[in-house]
Amino acid sequence: MEYTGSQYIGEYVDGRMEGDAEYILPTKTKYVGEMKDGMFHGQGTLYFPSGSRFDAVWEKGLVVKVSLSSPIWTHLEKSPRAVTTVEMASTTRPRG
């Protein structure tokens, strides 16, 4: 599901975001990585406007493994809110 005000650059399969993609939230936080069934799924990186990044493996929109090579976050006061926004946007499923 796409979050209102976001931008998705990638392929769709059966009307859902799928494959390698770029997803930019209204907060300017950007996800670059794999999508499946409209959710973050596989390897992907969140890039925050502060310059921080978060490398992880995702499963159905949730982080299941954090990359040990992911740089240390430099603006912790902003990053958790962005991650929460991303999780909410990526795990929301369409009705019906």
Side-chain angles (χ1 to χ4, degrees):
M1 173 173 165
E2 292 185 58
Y3 186 71
T4 302
S6 64
Q7 180 183 9
Y8 175 71
I9 302 165
E11 299 292 321
Y12 287 89
V13 174
D14 295 326
R16 294 184 176 197
M17 298 176 281
E18 189 98 16
D20 292 329
E22 187 173 310
Y23 189 87
I24 305 166
L25 290 157
T27 61
K28 303 300 179 206
T29 297
K30 178 170 56 172
Y31 172 80
V32 176
E34 299 172 65
M35 303 279 288
K36 182 177 179 182
D37 219 15
M39 296 179 274
F40 301 167
H41 192 86
Q43 292 196 302
T45 301
L46 286 174
Y47 295 92
F48 297 96
S50 65
S52 297
R53 63 186 264 183
F54 181 72
D55 303 309
V57 176
W58 305 76
E59 188 173 306
K60 297 182 180 179
L62 301 174
V63 174
V64 293
K65 182 179 178 184
V66 176
S67 172
L68 295 177
S69 63
S70 186
I72 297 172
W73 293 11
T74 57
H75 293 83
L76 292 175
E77 73 282 358
K78 293 183 181 179
S79 298
R81 184 175 345 136
V83 170
T84 300
T85 301
V86 169
E87 287 178 354
M88 287 173 38
S90 65
T91 60
T92 303
R93 297 187 180 162
R95 296 179 189 182

